[in-house]
Amino acid sequence: MTDGSQTKSTKPKPSRARRAFGYGTIIFGVGCIFVLDQFNLIMNASQSLDEPAFVVFEHPILLRRGAVIAAEMPEVLQDRFGEFQFVKRIGGLPGDEITINADGSPCVNDHCYPLWSKDGQPVAARIAPGVIPDGHYAVFGTSPDSLDSRYSVIGLISEDRLIGRGWPLPVMADFREAGL
């Protein structure tokens, strides 16, 4: 017999561990959305760097020699590559001196970057020697035929053109060799 009063639910309360797992999953999911919003996957279609792919954090942080950066495409390359990002390694920081060695190659901190020659002539005029000003970086590819800061047509990359800092992805196969 029922007396008309409501009966108590017999559904057990979730345990403390289950609630913690649920909250942890929600926090993890929100964190993943935030992180994925701040990172880009960049594929390097040229041979200018050894690595074919990079994860780029959209805020240039920890800029040092050897760091991979993504920048806005230099004007001279925008007609051909405008929709892509310019990805190179930092070879010179503000305050570093660019010198020219005996064979005409630009050097930064005793590391020289040979000019790419075609028919015995450099493909473009080299960058002028001098001190890298504040807010600018000399960036270079690892390939001798990389069009980068060794040439005045590219020059130094200003900080306001930087998009982010990159880290190489450990990919097993190089898609560039597969012809993709």
Side-chain angles (χ1 to χ4, degrees), residues 61-68 89-91 93 137 165 167:
I61 57 168
L62 304 171
L63 298 178
R64 59 175 178 72
R65 273 178 216 83
V68 173
R89 287 193 184 279
I90 294 176
L93 299 169
Y137 298 88
R165 159 90 193 270
W167 289 269

Side-chain angles (χ1 to χ4, degrees), residues 1-7:
M1 289 192 124
T2 59
D3 60 0
S5 65
Q6 281 190 327
T7 59

